[in-house]
Amino acid sequence: MTHSLNPRREKIAAKDPRRNPYTQKILEYEDWIWLERPEHTPQLVEYLGRPGPLVLDLGCGSGNFLRESARISPEKRFIGFELRYKRLVLGARKFKKWGVENVRLAQARAEEIDQWFEEDQLDRVHVNFPDPWPKQRHRKNRLIQEPWLAKLKGRLKSSGEFMFKTDHQEYFTSVLELLKKTPHFEVVELSWDLHNSEYAEQNVLTEFEQLFRSKGMPVYHLKARPIR
C-alpha cells in the first residue's frame, strides 16, 4: 500500500540507515506505529472511535507490557507512547507476530498527553519505571510533577485510573507526597513490594520488572483515581 509522506515521515525516510537501521525499519510498521503529530494522524480518530475502554502506556519500551495487556484484555484499546526507533520497531514486531490488533504506538512524549487526547477520554494511564533522575539537580526533569498531574487528571474519566510502578524508592515516596498535597488524585492502592502483595496476581510485567524480580528487588506500586 502506498502512502504519501508528510514532512516528518519524509525526514525519517531520509535518515542514514547506517547510523540507525531502525529509522528505516520503522516505516514498515505504519499499521501499528504513528509517526506524525496527532493533527496529521487520521488513524488516531478512527482508533479512538472504536468501542471499548482506552488505556495509555507512557514510555512503553519495546512493548512486552502492552502486548500482554492487549492479549489479556481484547475488549480494550491500548496506545503506547515511546520515542526510540528501536523500541517502537521491536514492539510492533511483537504485536504483528502475536496477531495483537487492539494496540497502537505513537512516537510521542508523555508531556504531550493533552495534545493527543481530549478531556475525559482515557480510562487508564500507566507510567511504568520512568527515568527517576536520581540526582537532586536533575529532578526537575521528572515526568510526575504537579503541572503534569493536572494535565493527566483532565484527560482521565472521572472513573479513570492512574497506575504508577517504579523500583526507585525515593521517587515513589516523592510521588506519594505530591499526590497527598495536590488536589488531583486519591490513592486507592499502595504497595511497597508489589510482587509479594495482594495486587501481584493482576500485575503485568514489563521488561525492566522481569529483571528486578529475578534479582529479588522490590517494586513499588500505586493506583490513584481523579478527585472531582
Side-chain angles (χ1 to χ4, degrees):
M1 183 180 297
T2 301
H3 293 266
S4 60
L5 301 179
N6 73 3
R8 186 173 184 180
R9 190 175 283 263
E10 289 177 349
K11 185 177 179 180
I12 293 171
K15 289 180 180 292
D16 187 349
R18 293 173 295 182
R19 299 187 64 180
N20 184 351
Y22 291 96
T23 58
Q24 301 303 304
K25 293 178 181 177
I26 201 170
L27 299 175
E28 301 172 10
Y29 294 94
E30 59 186 348
D31 289 340
W32 282 272
I33 304 172
W34 300 328
L35 299 172
E36 301 86 359
R37 302 295 305 152
E39 62 269 21
H40 298 302
T41 307
Q43 305 96 319
L44 173 65
V45 176
E46 185 277 330
Y47 191 71
L48 294 179
R50 296 183 184 183
L54 183 60
V55 180
L56 177 64
D57 181 14
L58 297 174
C60 62
S62 57
N64 279 11
F65 175 83
L66 274 177
R67 180 195 64 194
E68 286 304 298
S69 297
R71 186 183 62 82
I72 293 169
S73 302
E75 77 284 359
K76 297 179 181 179
R77 298 163 296 156
F78 294 84
I79 297 176
F81 277 14
E82 178 58 58
L83 289 176
R84 299 194 182 190
Y85 292 97
K86 182 177 181 179
R87 292 177 178 175
L88 288 164
V89 170
L90 293 179
R93 280 179 178 172
K94 292 171 186 174
F95 308 149
K96 184 175 182 179
K97 178 180 178 181
W98 285 74
V100 178
E101 299 291 342
N102 58 324
V103 59
R104 297 292 184 271
L105 301 173
Q107 191 176 43
R109 297 180 179 276
E111 294 84 355
E112 299 170 349
I113 186 172
D114 59 331
Q115 300 174 31
W116 283 83
F117 304 100
E118 298 177 359
E119 291 188 1
D120 302 321
Q121 193 165 39
L122 293 163
D123 291 274
R124 176 180 281 188
V125 172
H126 289 270
V127 176
N128 294 323
F129 304 95
D131 191 334
W133 296 97
K135 294 183 179 179
Q136 183 70 41
R137 67 179 183 273
H138 294 154
R139 290 179 185 174
K140 63 181 182 294
N141 297 318
R142 286 177 172 176
L143 171 64
I144 303 176
Q145 301 187 55
E146 195 279 333
W148 184 81
L149 285 173
K151 191 184 297 186
L152 172 64
K153 176 184 176 181
R155 266 54 200 172
L156 279 169
K157 295 178 180 178
S158 59
S159 59
E161 298 172 336
F162 166 44
M163 312 290 288
F164 175 52
K165 289 192 290 188
T166 180
D167 65 310
H168 196 277
Q169 185 174 2
E170 184 278 328
Y171 192 7
F172 189 72
T173 301
S174 70
V175 169
L176 274 178
E177 294 174 352
L178 182 62
L179 291 173
K180 290 177 181 178
K181 71 181 183 181
T182 56
H184 304 306
F185 287 91
E186 174 189 12
V187 176
V188 295
E189 285 185 8
L190 177 65
S191 175
W192 296 89
D193 187 4
L194 174 59
H195 300 151
N196 293 299
S197 75
E198 60 185 302
Y199 312 118
E201 186 175 347
Q202 65 190 33
N203 181 52
V204 177
L205 298 173
T206 73
E207 294 95 328
F208 285 123
E209 197 171 358
Q210 290 172 341
L211 175 62
F212 300 146
R213 188 174 70 167
S214 70
K215 294 183 177 181
M217 299 169 60
V219 167
Y220 312 108
H221 153 84
L222 68 82
K223 177 167 74 174
R225 291 200 175 101
I227 297 174
R228 294 288 197 249

